[in-house]
Amino acid sequence: MDAVKARLLKSTKILSDSGIPYAVVGDNAVAASVARVDIAVRNTQDVDILIRRTDLPVACKAFEEHGFVYRQAFGVDCFLEHEHANPRDAVHVVFACERVKPNDLAATPRCHRSRASRQLLDCDA
């Protein structure tokens, strides 16, 4: 659990420092919300980050400068902490305003504001 939290904090700092608007999504976002009212939180190995597809090249450069390796694993864009890291332990990228899976009924949301970056994430960009 400490490794996941460290990966989450490092990832959000990289994105914030690079000026990339983002939102934490997935199990970590749920865990943060649930932890406010209940101590029973599901543990997860990965970190899910929502960004615009147009920000991926800048994100790749920023993460690589901090030792991460960009890969596509099982159809998922992700940043591994090192070359031989397990994709289950990675930072998974989810793209704003796109379907995660082709059969999903709806696209991911636009993130109006990120607490960390205070920037707008616009689907039309």
Side-chain angles (χ1 to χ4, degrees):
M1 186 64 180
D2 289 337
V4 175
K5 185 175 182 180
R7 188 177 311 115
L8 174 64
L9 294 174
K10 186 174 183 180
S11 300
T12 56
K13 181 166 178 21
I14 290 169
L15 292 165
S16 292
D17 290 351
S18 300
I20 299 170
Y22 69 90
V24 175
V25 296
D27 291 340
N28 285 296
V30 172
S33 179
V34 169
R36 294 181 191 146
V37 294
D38 193 349
I39 59 170
V41 176
R42 179 178 176 232
N43 292 329
T44 182
Q45 292 176 248
D46 67 329
V47 170
D48 298 307
I49 299 290
L50 178 81
I51 64 172
R52 293 180 299 202
R53 184 173 290 280
T54 57
D55 289 327
L56 183 60
V58 176
C60 284
K61 184 175 187 236
F63 273 86
E64 288 172 0
E65 288 173 356
H66 288 85
F68 284 81
V69 179
Y70 171 76
R71 290 282 183 270
Q72 280 193 333
F74 309 106
V76 176
D77 294 83
C78 60
F79 296 104
L80 305 172
E81 289 187 279
H82 55 80
E83 184 71 30
H84 302 291
N86 187 330
R88 289 183 183 180
D89 300 327
V91 177
H92 295 165
V93 178
V94 178
F95 294 108
C97 305
E98 295 184 16
R99 287 180 169 80
V100 175
K101 297 175 186 168
N103 293 336
D104 286 350
L105 295 177
T108 58
R110 145 188 352 217
C111 180
H112 298 287
R113 284 203 180 263
S114 166
R115 286 185 193 166
S117 67
R118 294 287 192 222
Q119 296 179 13
L120 296 178
L121 204 69
D122 186 3
C123 292
D124 301 325

